[in-house]
Structure formats: C-alpha cells, structure tokens
Amino acid sequence: MKRLFIGIAFFLTVAGSVFAQSSDLTPLAVIKHNKSETITAKQLRSRIDFLKKETGVESFTLDQKKQILDSLISEKLVAQAAAKEGISISDSQVNSAFLNTFSQQLGQQVTEAQLSDFIERQTGKTLGVYMKDQTGMSLDEYKEYLKNQLVAQQYVFSKKQEELKKVVATDDEIRSAYEMNKSAFVWNDMAKLFLVMVPKGTDAATAKSLAESLRSQYQKSKSAEDKIKLSEDNGKKYQAGYLVVAKTSSQAQQLGWSYDKLMELFSRNKGYISELSVTDNDYQFYSVVDKYNAKMLELSDVVEPDSTITVYDYIKQRLSAQKQSQFLTTAAQEIAKSLETKNSVDRKKTGKALDKVLETM
C-alpha cells in the first residue's frame, strides 16, 4: 500500500517507566493570552515525533527542537488570539479537512468509516493505530493539532486578507517557471472514451445481460447527449461517462486493463465501439470519442483535453498558491511574535534546564 501522507504545515524498568511519566509532565511553557494552557514535554515530544515521520529526518538538533517548541508556542498563542476574537472551527470542519487529505490521495471522497475499513484491509491496523504509527499522535491528538492549524490559518487570513490579495505570481515568474520545467508540460498520446461498466455484484449473469443491452442502446444512439443519458437514473446498477486515457502502463493499471488492451484501444479510430469485455469485478465496453497526439505544450495550450485552463493559467495558480502559503506562514510568525509578551507566555524551562529536557527527545 502506498503510504498516505497526512501532514499539514503551518508553523525498561518500573523505575524507568515512572521517571518517563514524570518527565512527560514537565511543563515547558504556559500560554495565557486568553486562558491558561500548559505545553508539556510530552506534547513537544509528540510534535517532534510527528515531524520526524513527516520529514523523514531521524533526529533533530538542539536548536531545531527549540524552533519546534517556539512553533508550538506560536500555534497556541495564535489559536488563543483567534478564540478571543470569536474565530472558531467546528468539529465537522476538522473532520472534513482530515478526510479530504485522504480523499485526494485515494481519488474518491471517503467517510471516516470507509477510511477505517480501507486502512484495516490494507494494513491490518485500526485507523487509530495507523495514525499513531504514521504521526506519533493519537487520532484525537492529530485532530486537535489540525484544528489549531485551521484556526490559526483563519485568524491570520482575517488579519492579512487585503495584503494576501496582492500576492500573485508575476508574468516573469510564470514564464521562468515554464522554461525551467518545460519537459513536464507534455501530452502523451491520449484518447477520450465513453466508458460503461456494469459491476457483477452477486449476479454476474444479470450484469452481463444488462451490459449487452446498454451496448446495444449505445450503438443505436445518434448523439453524445443521447449516449451520456445512459448514466442517468440507473439505480447505481452501472457507471457510464467520459474518460480521457493516456497511453501509459500506469493508466492501464488504474483501469485494470492489460497493456495489450490499452495498445489495442490506441489502434482504433474515432467512433469505434469495443466488444463487451470482462474483468474480475465487472463487464465493460467503450467507444472512442476522440484522439489526441502526443506533443509539447506551449503556454497558451490547455493542460488537458476539454479543459479551459491553459498552461499559463495553471502555472500562475500553482505559483500564486505557493507564494500565498509562504506569505501566510511568515505572517503567522510575525503575528505570533507580536503576541508573545511576559504576560502572555511564561517559559518554565530556559537555558541549560531546557537543553537538558530537549536532549532526551
């Protein structure tokens, strides 16, 4: 199973066991901008473990650990400042953000129950255990972390939204990025299909009969509009719609096709209707709606067939998003720095005392 990345960035004896628990409870700082909130050694260790897993770094230096602590303090300060101004994030918003991260990687929207089932089938672990292994945090701890990140983002955005509107990629930056990455802007040979799939379910014979009937209807259709209606009001008995397919082995794998079947597709002309084929899960047929030859893309070309987004637009969107993310990160740091005073943050461990705690992490 390909590892699912879930990070979001913004800023041996009984005696030994008892000592570890005591160390975990060591207060490192108390945040009191809006309420009293203690950052313990355990919380910092959890954040360090999380960042190790996200970055692949085996260990951090003492200075880096101090920066992580500063980041954790800043996060709490901004979250408290946001709460003081009535800015909040609901649990449903947190859950939605949490699931969207996975949904984007899986290529489909999933519920937490579906995600739990998928993780268990793929890894043999519960979602909670998987999260602990991957992030060093429990599921609840991760969601609390995510909530603080979202609150901080919303708070910083509320303070800097007018400035943020001005942060966009320039024409020179767009053209330079294109020249530096020109080889990435290519089309493989592609074909636009109308694909119909009928799941076998518990009655393969009935599914095959339905697939044959749909293929017959499709052959008699006189326009694309008529054909696409095959996918409407079908009671979820089948799936049908347009699909752009690239001539690559990875595309064949995604479709569940052999490479030979994919190559056969690209030997067909526009208007071709395939015979009914069978996979482990369904019956399928397709029609070749259009074909596109491989080519290098210019700035004025669309990024994919049937799209209205040009390469220029695509690069502008990506670069602008990167610049805005950098702007918000810097703004968050500046805001947090302005919020930190002797009255708002009480650092319980400093100097050599802090170093001693950090060396154990």
Side-chain angles (χ1 to χ4, degrees):
M1 171 189 169
K2 184 163 74 172
R3 178 176 177 238
L4 297 173
F5 290 87
I6 48 186
I8 176 173
F10 195 64
F11 332 73
L12 293 179
T13 63
V14 173
S17 175
V18 171
F19 175 76
Q21 291 173 14
S22 176
S23 298
D24 280 348
L25 297 176
T26 300
L28 302 181
V30 177
I31 315 303
K32 44 188 180 179
H33 179 77
N34 189 42
K35 64 179 182 179
S36 182
E37 190 172 4
T38 302
I39 295 176
T40 65
K42 180 181 180 180
Q43 290 172 311
L44 180 60
R45 183 179 288 108
S46 179
R47 181 60 58 89
I48 288 172
D49 289 345
F50 169 60
L51 291 173
K52 283 179 181 178
K53 292 175 183 295
E54 282 297 291
T55 62
V57 174
E58 291 187 6
S59 63
F60 292 114
T61 66
L62 202 59
D63 283 343
Q64 287 172 326
K65 291 174 184 176
K66 289 178 180 177
Q67 291 173 7
I68 295 171
L69 175 58
D70 288 343
S71 176
L72 192 52
I73 290 171
S74 295
E75 177 186 310
K76 300 287 188 184
L77 269 173
V78 173
Q80 286 196 19
K84 194 172 184 178
E85 294 192 17
I87 294 174
S88 63
I89 297 292
S90 68
D91 289 343
S92 63
Q93 289 174 298
V94 174
N95 289 334
S96 178
F98 172 72
L99 292 172
N100 281 342
T101 304
F102 288 100
S103 296
Q104 289 171 9
Q105 295 175 67
L106 295 173
Q108 63 182 45
Q109 198 65 38
V110 294
T111 64
E112 189 162 317
Q114 290 170 329
L115 176 61
S116 297
D117 181 63
F118 175 80
I119 294 294
E120 192 160 358
R121 283 189 285 105
Q122 293 294 321
T123 69
K125 300 175 182 178
T126 64
L127 179 58
V129 172
Y130 179 81
M131 290 296 296
K132 187 69 174 179
D133 288 347
Q134 297 299 321
T135 70
M137 300 182 192
S138 69
L139 182 58
D140 287 342
E141 286 172 337
Y142 181 79
K143 287 187 177 181
E144 183 62 26
Y145 159 72
L146 179 58
K147 185 174 187 175
N148 285 337
Q149 296 293 309
L150 295 172
V151 167
Q153 289 176 9
Q154 188 167 320
Y155 177 75
V156 174
F157 178 77
S158 71
K159 299 295 182 183
K160 299 288 184 178
Q161 55 183 315
E162 292 304 317
E163 295 172 62
L164 184 65
K165 291 177 183 177
K166 301 174 184 177
V167 181
V168 293
T170 65
D171 181 72
D172 285 345
E173 288 172 334
I174 295 166
R175 294 183 183 279
S176 176
Y178 171 74
E179 291 298 329
M180 291 293 291
N181 300 278
K182 188 180 288 187
S183 62
F185 294 103
V186 296
W187 275 5
N188 288 306
D189 287 331
M190 291 185 287
K192 181 179 179 180
L193 310 182
F194 184 79
L195 177 65
V196 178
M197 299 180 293
V198 183
K200 291 179 180 178
T202 58
D203 189 345
T206 298
K208 182 179 181 181
S209 177
L210 174 59
E212 290 171 340
S213 173
L214 290 170
R215 184 175 179 277
S216 177
Q217 291 178 44
Y218 187 88
Q219 286 179 305
K220 297 174 182 177
S221 298
K222 295 182 180 179
S223 68
E225 288 78 12
D226 291 335
K227 295 169 185 175
I228 200 66
K229 287 178 182 177
L230 288 172
S231 65
E232 298 176 357
D233 301 322
N234 62 62
K236 297 184 179 180
K237 294 179 181 178
Y238 62 91
Q239 295 174 294
Y242 292 116
L243 177 68
V244 175
V245 175
K247 190 165 65 174
T248 65
S249 57
S250 60
Q251 182 75 82
Q253 187 176 13
Q254 289 173 14
L255 289 169
W257 291 4
S258 67
Y259 188 66
D260 288 341
K261 180 176 177 179
L262 189 71
M263 293 302 292
E264 177 189 346
L265 158 64
F266 281 92
S267 71
R268 303 301 184 182
N269 295 323
K270 180 177 175 180
Y272 169 79
I273 301 175
S274 75
E275 296 298 324
L276 195 66
S277 64
V278 59
T279 72
D280 291 340
N281 302 312
D282 55 37
Y283 291 93
Q284 307 179 354
F285 71 89
Y286 66 82
S287 173
V288 179
V289 178
D290 211 341
K291 297 182 75 175
Y292 311 92
N293 294 325
K295 68 173 183 175
M296 293 285 295
L297 299 179
E298 301 294 335
L299 280 167
S300 59
D301 287 323
V302 294
V303 292
E304 59 185 28
D306 296 337
S307 171
T308 59
I309 300 174
T310 65
V311 172
Y312 186 95
D313 295 332
Y314 175 80
I315 296 174
K316 182 177 182 178
Q317 290 172 3
R318 294 293 295 270
L319 285 183
S320 295
Q322 290 173 11
K323 292 181 70 173
Q324 289 169 357
S325 177
Q326 292 166 359
F327 172 83
L328 288 173
T329 298
T330 301
Q333 293 168 349
E334 292 172 350
I335 289 173
K337 186 176 181 180
S338 70
L339 291 171
E340 183 169 352
T341 65
K342 290 183 178 180
N343 291 328
S344 65
V345 179
D346 181 9
R347 291 179 180 261
K348 295 294 187 180
K349 295 290 183 182
T350 59
K352 291 182 178 180
L354 177 60
D355 292 350
K356 187 176 180 180
V357 175
L358 296 180
E359 284 168 357
T360 66
M361 298 182 179

